[in-house]
Amino acid sequence: MTDQKLIFNILTFDHPVETANFSFHEKEAEGLISICKDNLPKSINELFPDLSEDTEYLYVNFAPESNEKTLIVKLSDNSRFAKHYYVWLISNYFQTRKCFHKSNFVNDIEVWFYDKNATTTEGQFFVFKRFMIKVQIKRISDFPELQISYEGISKVYKDGLDKLNIPVEALKKVIYNHAIKHYEYLTDEEKLNISKIRPVLNPYIINAMELDWSVNFIENKLQYFYNEIKGFVDTFLNTPEFKKIIPIHSNEFLPVPVKTVFNTTKGSNELIFGKKDGVHQTDLNPFNGLKNNGPYSTSPLNKIEFIFIFHEKDLQTAEKLKSWFDGNEMPYVKSLKNFIRLNYFLDINKSIIFKDLDNPMPEIKQQLESWPRISGTTYLAIYLTPHPKEISDKEIHSLYFKVKYELLKYYISSQVIETETILSPNFNYSLPNIAIAILAKLGGVPWRLQRAIYNELIIGVGAFKSYEMKSRYIGSAFCFANDGHFQNFNCYSADNTTMLAGSIREAVEDFVLKNNTVERLVIHFYKRMSQEDLEPIKLVLRSLNLDIPVIVININKTESRDFVVFDTNCPSNGMIPISGTFIDVGRNQFLLCNNTRYGDTIPRSREGFPFPVKLSIQSTDKKLLEDNNLIQNLIDQVYQFSRMYWTSVTQQNLPVTVKYPEMVAEKYPHFESSNLPDFGKENLWFL
């Protein structure tokens, strides 16, 4: 197998000077940069011996006038202050280039370059490529570092606000006087000058203006990202002008130190499927494992009946789907019954058929009320929607959620399939995904993790930001045993930490009841958990007389684009590291390469080339973070839980512990009631 040659998206450089003079002031003034107290030079008391403890900021002039009193600062001994100085130097450098730039709230430098190749004369937007430069001191190497990332594109309206009918609440970033600014931070005078305010397109504008928005598909995002940042470095940083202010060592990116590179445990990418000769079989590939061995466990339900719901014009489409389910004209999978070992009854004459294409809910509700239910039978609805899920019409779009919620009230899970998808010549490739989702909703287990079982409770917390509903919801207390078996979940708004703690209490009590004890609580969280978030959970454990550690793993669901790692030895210049590689980047943070490159062959395009997932690990018992075996186990766990995604046979790179809650939270705000039916808390209806 090819050895990996791993590199970061980082350039190293020397301090441009050993010492420099700067002036500091207690009052804000034009041209001065504010610096918080913790980032000031260690010798600041030489200038301000009576500095008040209440002082939060001082203001620095990095290019002091001759009449200003200055302080000599040794940059290598004052890393936090040096970072501010280097950000200022780089910002000044880009002011002389044809670009927009700004510093964000952590002083990273964002640079936008006009992309004339992507901007069309007939379009209403200018297109810009965005790059981020992050200055850090000795984070990975023994030198100051520049972390370079490509942030994608932004579209800026060619017209000013005077010619656009955009709601003020939808405005976020804007271009004003050739600078990137946030609209809310413009002065009152600037906000009146509407002809000079050019909005940057964002999801709020797209939703408010009901714009069609499509993203160009990039087969290998990782390689594309590398090419963009390499081009940026060669054009703007590997130049005599830039090296004069920031003396970078080379235009080659920093190699990953060998001592920081680890691998998930051998076999952690294996999944367990059905039995042959009484023995459960394993496979790396979900589709092959199911096709050859069947699911790990079939549905425990004795009587299952499918209900078709469709528009009257789609009768033939429904009949075609039934034929495919039963195994006719289906080359990719023999039949639904064969593929997932599912016995079900389906009478198309008992279907719920509606006439009103745009408002079918009254008809569906009426027919559900009179549906002849048979005791002991479990029902699953197959809703053939005539509308695509991403339709811009909000009322039509809401039907998807209304149908699902109405069915939950009758203890019925549902599988939604677009009629256009059924009529597609490639529909047979969708059938395995539909099959495993149906099996999971009916209590079966398509596959299980190859993992030793012990008394550990894993709770996943994920969030979804709804631009349409203007809210963030958390699908929370998504509970799993450590072998990947789903238990239950709940859902509520993002600011309700009390309900989060309450849901965790219920989960722990239920787990202890079934398993007698629990050794530790592991929480996979969608962001870094604050002490405010953690304290109610600790109180809950104390109230249960459980003296167990709480380990929180923050899983960056948007993938890591600040720290990125590439393998320059990857075949076909694919750049993607071998799956299961993880890198210690310090501060209890790790980059996990989670993909389907298991050797010299690179992933297929449909499997994707995902960025590494950034993990940050916290613990109420700090000593646990020094246990390398435990860290290995926790990262193995994240890696394996990404293989429990029962919506697709294609590998995902995010674990279901945060992915499933996000899927629920996306649907929850659309429901007519804030209370999820109890049936919906113990069922994977959202797949």
Side-chain angles (χ1 to χ4, degrees), residues 167-385:
V168 172
E169 61 270 16
L171 296 173
K172 303 301 176 185
K173 282 184 181 178
V174 299
I175 301 297
Y176 182 83
N177 276 351
H178 303 286
I180 308 165
K181 297 189 176 184
H182 280 272
Y183 180 80
E184 63 178 309
Y185 297 138
L186 294 178
T187 65
D188 291 340
E189 184 179 350
E190 288 171 335
K191 287 179 179 178
L192 291 174
N193 201 356
I194 57 176
S195 63
K196 289 188 176 182
I197 300 174
R198 287 177 169 76
V200 178
L201 192 64
N202 63 56
Y204 298 97
I205 294 177
I206 292 170
N207 181 63
M209 305 291 287
E210 297 185 353
L211 301 175
D212 289 328
W213 180 251
S214 59
V215 179
N216 292 332
F217 174 73
I218 299 173
E219 181 175 303
N220 187 339
K221 293 185 293 182
L222 201 65
Q223 185 182 52
Y224 186 83
F225 182 98
Y226 175 83
N227 293 340
E228 288 292 339
I229 62 174
K230 190 69 170 69
F232 174 75
V233 168
D234 291 342
T235 303
F236 296 103
L237 306 188
N238 189 34
T239 66
E241 296 85 358
F242 187 79
K243 288 181 177 181
K244 188 176 180 180
I245 61 167
I246 301 291
I248 59 173
H249 294 147
S250 165
N251 66 331
E252 298 299 323
F253 292 117
L254 178 69
V256 176
V258 174
K259 65 181 181 181
T260 66
V261 181
F262 304 90
N263 295 286
T264 51
T265 304
K266 185 178 180 180
S268 57
N269 53 2
E270 290 186 347
L271 304 170
I272 308 177
F273 295 90
K275 293 180 179 179
K276 277 191 176 179
D277 300 323
V279 179
H280 281 289
Q281 303 297 301
T282 63
D283 205 303
L284 301 180
N285 184 288
F287 174 74
N288 292 338
L290 275 171
K291 184 178 180 182
N292 297 329
N293 310 297
Y296 174 80
S297 65
T298 57
S299 173
L301 303 170
N302 294 322
K303 294 182 180 179
I304 299 169
E305 183 171 348
F306 286 0
I307 308 168
F308 271 14
I309 303 175
F310 56 87
H311 186 260
E312 59 182 358
K313 70 177 179 61
D314 292 321
L315 175 60
Q316 285 186 319
T317 305
E319 290 173 339
K320 187 174 185 178
L321 182 62
K322 180 182 185 302
S323 176
W324 270 339
F325 276 6
D326 293 340
N328 300 322
E329 304 177 21
M330 187 159 45
Y332 199 44
V333 180
K334 289 182 181 179
S335 72
L336 201 67
K337 293 181 179 181
N338 176 272
F339 189 61
I340 56 175
R341 312 290 200 267
L342 185 70
N343 291 315
Y344 61 88
F345 173 76
L346 170 58
D347 183 354
I348 206 164
N349 294 317
K350 295 175 67 177
S351 299
I352 293 176
I353 303 173
F354 55 87
K355 297 180 180 180
D356 192 329
L357 196 64
D358 296 332
N359 184 27
M361 286 310 300
E363 295 173 79
I364 292 174
K365 286 182 178 182
Q366 183 182 22
Q367 292 181 63
L368 275 174
E369 288 174 2
S370 59
W371 177 265
R373 297 173 66 90
I374 301 173
S375 178
T377 299
T378 300
Y379 296 92
L380 182 127
I382 309 292
Y383 173 41
L384 281 61
T385 173

Side-chain angles (χ1 to χ4, degrees), residues 397-447:
H397 176 66
S398 68
L399 290 175
Y400 169 87
F401 306 101
K402 288 179 179 178
V403 170
K404 274 195 169 292
Y405 185 79
E406 189 65 28
L407 289 164
L408 284 178
K409 293 194 297 187
Y410 288 88
Y411 300 88
I412 299 174
S413 289
S414 57
Q415 182 69 35
V416 180
I417 309 174
E418 295 174 11
T419 53
E420 285 185 12
T421 302
I422 299 171
L423 299 174
S424 166
N426 296 320
F427 178 61
N428 55 305
Y429 295 108
S430 300
L431 284 169
N433 300 334
I434 293 170
I436 60 173
I438 286 175
L439 177 62
K441 290 169 184 176
L442 292 170
V445 179
W447 55 82

Side-chain angles (χ1 to χ4, degrees), residues 37-93:
K37 192 175 184 179
D38 292 341
N39 291 345
L40 292 170
K42 298 173 184 177
S43 56
I44 193 65
N45 288 335
E46 293 179 17
L47 280 182
F48 299 94
D50 301 321
L51 192 64
S52 169
E53 291 185 1
D54 296 331
T55 301
E56 295 183 10
Y57 293 90
L58 287 182
Y59 302 89
V60 62
N61 187 350
F62 287 120
E65 302 290 339
S66 58
N67 61 343
E68 291 184 275
K69 188 176 181 179
T70 61
L71 179 69
I72 299 174
V73 178
K74 187 176 181 180
L75 295 170
S76 60
D77 288 345
N78 294 275
S79 296
R80 291 183 177 181
F81 178 78
K83 174 181 174 177
H84 287 273
Y85 178 45
Y86 299 148
V87 167
W88 179 79
L89 287 175
I90 297 169
S91 295
N92 284 349
Y93 169 79

